[in-house]
Amino acid sequence: MKRMIVVGLLLTSFGCTLSSTKPAPLPKDDFLVIAHRGASAYAPEHTLAAYDMAVQMGADYIELDIQLTKDGKLVTFHDDSVSLHNRDWPVATITFDELQLYSPGEEFNEDNPHYASVAYEELRVIGLDEVLQYFGSTINYYIEIKSPDAYPGIEAKLLHKLQAHGLLDTASDMPKVIIQSFDGDSLKKVFDREPTIPLIQLFAFDKGESLSKKALRELTTYASGIGVEAKVVTKKFVTSMHKAGLDVHPFTINDEKTMRTLMAHGIDGLFTDRPDIAVQLRNEISRASH
């Protein structure tokens, strides 16, 4: 009986420890420029060319959307499906080799003649491993888990990859990895396994919408911040999120005027296809304030 009581006390104590774990902190004095799918205004999204360009432009983070192919390879790709052989194929239903038939560079060149390059036509969809091997711990990663319901176990697979590349045990004022998703359950799975990673809950609000007090309380048990469309961000919204202890990272802002407005509202960072503009503006505002 005594042994059962002791075990019960230990389990109770352990449960209390888990429930009292706080979300990982985000930098408080740094405005984060997040390169949306890399410098995707200037190079094909989610390619090493776009990521490299974003780093050269001074972005704090490169954003990677991740999905799983049929043969279990984590890839950096945004859309849930890809057009091959005049048909749309969900990423989850094709292999990595089959995904190589798609050319992001050809599509980019067609849509962006001002920035087109023959070299881009050789680019293909890449795996997360390739990105992590290329950059290692020299940069910071802002990773979105796409459609986790379509990829059971993707959270554990992602964390395993990050651990294998030494990105989870780094001591730095700027977290090496931030993870975001529209799926709260997916973020909770990450939090349960690795609470040291800051998590961002994405929402698709209409203008004027926000979170109930109950939803906000639950959110703050695992998330460090919130990601919303730029159109819904007001000074009042930012203040209310800050009061709850959440950072605000709006998406996706590419013009200087909107950047200035949102920065004045007090946002903590932003997603942009044009990190050069955001970095230049941030530096300008920083110089003016000193």
Side-chain angles (χ1 to χ4, degrees):
M1 178 64 72
K2 288 183 179 179
R3 186 173 181 274
M4 290 178 65
I5 293 173
V6 170
V7 171
L9 287 172
L10 286 173
L11 289 174
T12 302
S13 174
F14 184 63
C16 289
T17 301
L18 285 179
S19 63
S20 63
T21 301
K22 294 182 178 180
L26 286 163
K28 289 304 174 190
D29 299 321
D30 296 296
F31 183 90
L32 305 183
V33 174
I34 306 147
H36 182 241
R37 310 177 197 174
S40 55
Y42 311 113
E45 65 181 41
H46 289 318
T47 63
L48 288 179
Y51 297 147
D52 238 340
M53 196 176 293
V55 173
Q56 293 168 19
M57 289 176 173
D60 299 297
Y61 285 85
I62 60 170
E63 187 216 19
L64 299 85
D65 296 308
I66 62 160
Q67 302 187 60
L68 268 175
T69 59
K70 182 181 179 180
D71 50 342
K73 187 173 179 69
L74 285 167
V75 292
T76 63
F77 194 72
H78 176 266
D79 294 347
D80 293 334
S81 63
V82 60
S83 181
L84 298 172
H85 307 303
N86 298 315
R87 179 181 161 189
D88 287 339
W89 299 82
V91 173
T93 66
I94 58 177
T95 66
F96 180 71
D97 285 345
E98 289 169 332
L99 190 55
Q100 298 306 291
L101 297 174
Y102 169 70
S103 172
E106 288 182 9
E107 186 173 323
F108 176 85
N109 285 349
E110 185 177 335
D111 295 341
N112 303 275
H114 292 301
Y115 300 111
S117 168
V118 174
Y120 290 162
E121 295 178 8
E122 302 300 318
L123 298 175
R124 291 296 181 268
V125 176
I126 54 178
L128 178 63
D129 258 331
E130 186 177 350
V131 180
L132 300 183
Q133 286 168 6
Y134 184 82
F135 290 108
S137 60
T138 62
I139 67 167
N140 303 316
Y141 305 89
Y142 206 122
I143 301 173
E144 179 175 349
I145 301 175
K146 299 285 292 184
S147 308
D149 287 344
Y151 312 111
I154 191 173
E155 297 87 3
K157 196 172 184 71
L158 169 60
L159 292 175
H160 176 74
K161 289 293 182 187
L162 295 174
Q163 183 67 57
H165 286 273
L167 295 171
L168 297 185
D169 302 318
T170 57
S172 173
D173 293 337
M174 189 83 73
K176 277 292 163 193
V177 177
I178 297 173
I179 293 177
Q180 64 175 348
S181 182
F182 280 97
D183 192 306
D185 289 337
S186 181
L187 291 178
K188 290 174 187 176
K189 289 176 184 177
V190 174
F191 184 75
D192 288 343
R193 291 171 171 81
E194 192 59 55
T196 61
I197 300 176
L199 304 176
I200 304 295
Q201 175 75 60
L202 297 171
F203 290 96
F205 290 140
D206 286 328
K207 199 160 187 177
E209 279 189 327
S210 191
L211 292 167
S212 67
K213 290 182 179 179
K214 181 180 178 181
L216 195 56
R217 280 196 302 270
E218 181 185 357
L219 181 60
T220 57
T221 63
Y222 63 89
S224 306
I226 184 172
V228 293
E229 289 183 80
K231 67 180 182 180
V232 307
V233 178
T234 62
K235 190 171 184 62
K236 180 180 178 181
F237 177 84
V238 174
T239 300
S240 66
M241 293 301 106
H242 284 173
K243 188 176 180 181
L246 295 166
D247 280 20
V248 181
H249 295 165
F251 56 87
T252 302
I253 306 108
N254 292 321
D255 66 285
E256 182 180 327
K257 181 179 178 181
T258 305
M259 288 180 188
R260 284 186 182 276
T261 298
L262 296 185
M263 286 179 178
H265 288 341
I267 61 171
D268 305 283
L270 57 79
F271 290 84
T272 179
D273 302 331
R274 303 175 184 274
D276 54 335
I277 295 177
V279 169
Q280 182 178 354
L281 181 56
R282 176 184 64 184
N283 293 345
E284 174 194 316
I285 293 173
S286 179
R287 286 194 298 269
S289 65
H290 286 85

